[in-house]
Amino acid sequence: MAAMDARAHLLASLDRAYDGRSWHGPNLKGSLRGLIPAVAFFRPGPERHSVYDLVLHAAYWKYVVRRRLTGEKRGSFALAGSNFFLAPPGASAREVAAAKSLLEREHRALREVVEELPEGAFSARIGRWTAEAVISGAAAHDLYHAGQIQLLKRLASPRPQRPAQLRG
């Protein structure tokens, strides 16, 4: 695959996984549409993650991929800590909107870096992986968590039971 072809393919993958049309169902941004605090902060059990947690986690890993691609130093993420973050004391719509906004900013920043990478950078190694594999992995990460979010939304908002005669 030529470098420009790799760039176009990786950008399309990032877009489909985050906010583009996809055949498989909701992408990451789509899975967050209409999210309300009661659902965003729902935890299916002790020590389990909420949708809110996953939004910040996804934003953080977009930052990590961008940082690895650019060589930027650690410690410049918008929130203190890494990977998973403590939920705020107040489970408000404002907190949900702020998390979604951070995810959007980190996605756009990652996309900009991929657009600007030199042609030879996609085959360059970043630790064990090539830059192409790391970027592709970021898209897969979005889809993985989009699926988790869909499940958490269903668990947080159970559908009413159908009458017994209608169950298959």
Side-chain angles (χ1 to χ4, degrees):
M1 188 179 281
M4 284 305 289
D5 289 350
R7 180 187 327 274
H9 174 73
L10 291 168
L11 288 169
S13 294
L14 286 170
D15 289 344
R16 277 191 303 272
Y18 180 68
D19 65 357
R21 282 189 72 161
S22 51
W23 64 268
H24 51 73
N27 52 45
L28 184 56
K29 188 173 180 178
S31 72
L32 302 173
R33 195 170 295 117
L35 188 62
I36 61 171
V39 174
F41 291 97
F42 165 79
R43 292 183 187 281
E47 306 290 320
R48 299 293 179 234
H49 294 297
S50 67
V51 171
Y52 177 84
D53 295 341
L54 296 176
V55 171
L56 294 179
H57 170 77
Y60 176 77
W61 282 98
K62 286 176 181 290
Y63 151 79
V64 168
V65 170
R66 177 175 51 86
R67 185 179 53 74
R68 288 178 180 171
L69 293 170
T70 62
E72 183 180 340
K73 296 289 181 201
R74 296 175 84 163
S76 58
F77 188 61
L79 301 173
S82 62
N83 203 19
F84 285 101
F85 302 86
L86 294 176
S92 70
R94 189 158 94 184
E95 296 292 344
V96 173
K100 288 168 64 174
S101 179
L102 177 58
L103 177 62
E104 182 74 24
R105 287 191 313 274
E106 289 298 340
H107 179 77
R108 296 293 160 222
L110 172 58
R111 199 179 189 292
E112 286 177 21
V113 165
V114 174
E115 285 177 337
E116 300 299 322
L117 280 176
E119 289 188 24
F122 297 105
S123 59
R125 294 198 86 68
I126 301 172
R128 292 176 31 186
W129 308 101
T130 63
E132 183 175 3
V134 171
I135 298 164
S136 179
H141 189 251
D142 278 359
L143 293 175
Y144 172 74
H145 288 303
Q148 284 186 315
I149 289 167
Q150 290 298 97
L151 178 60
L152 283 168
K153 286 170 32 182
R154 177 68 61 94
L155 291 171
S157 306
R159 291 184 171 175
Q161 287 292 318
R162 296 186 308 171
Q165 68 269 23
L166 296 178
R167 289 187 208 146

